Amino acid sequence: MNLMDRFNQLSLRDQAMLALLAIVLVLYIVYMAAWRPLAQGNEQRRLQVAAAEQSLENIGRLAAEYRLLQQRSAQSGTASRGNLAEVIDRSVKAQQLQMSRLQPGSSGDVQVRLDNVPVDAVLRWLNQLEGEESVQVRDLSATVGATAGLINLSVRLYRP
């Protein structure tokens, strides 16, 4: 006896219940095989979009912070991060020292010669260069000046 014969032997009510069960079973299979994976994939994509939006927001915030730091750096470091010879010339004038020679070197350093300058003023000048301008002394040679308290100075300066 085949399946259709058995189905036809059932009462009309049982046939209707079996047909309804078959429809429900087909709908369940369609849901489990097609709809549910699509819905889960859609949910995963929604979460990925939310994460990407969060990342984009973070990148935007970091970019704004970077631009602000660049502006602050440019504002605070414009004068001090200029050409080394210009920085030295400006600082010598600010300390009211008289330079007899300023010679830029090939390796980025600068040779400076000061004649008959007060020791205290030279120390203040070198301290200011190192502390405010990030300029360091590579070589220094000092000799006694024309009178007490004055020196002749030859110094090679560089910026690391």
Side-chain angles (χ1 to χ4, degrees), residues 6 17 19 21 42 55 82-84 90-91 103 105 109 115 126:
R6 286 196 90 175
M17 292 302 270
L21 178 64
N42 202 12
S55 294
N83 181 341
L84 182 57
R90 187 175 53 248
S91 67
Q103 180 179 357
D109 55 358
D115 291 323
L126 291 173

Side-chain angles (χ1 to χ4, degrees), residues 49-66:
V49 166
E53 287 173 346
Q54 181 67 34
S55 294
L56 182 62
E57 182 179 314
N58 288 340
I59 289 170
R61 183 179 46 77
L62 290 173
E65 185 177 333
Y66 176 74

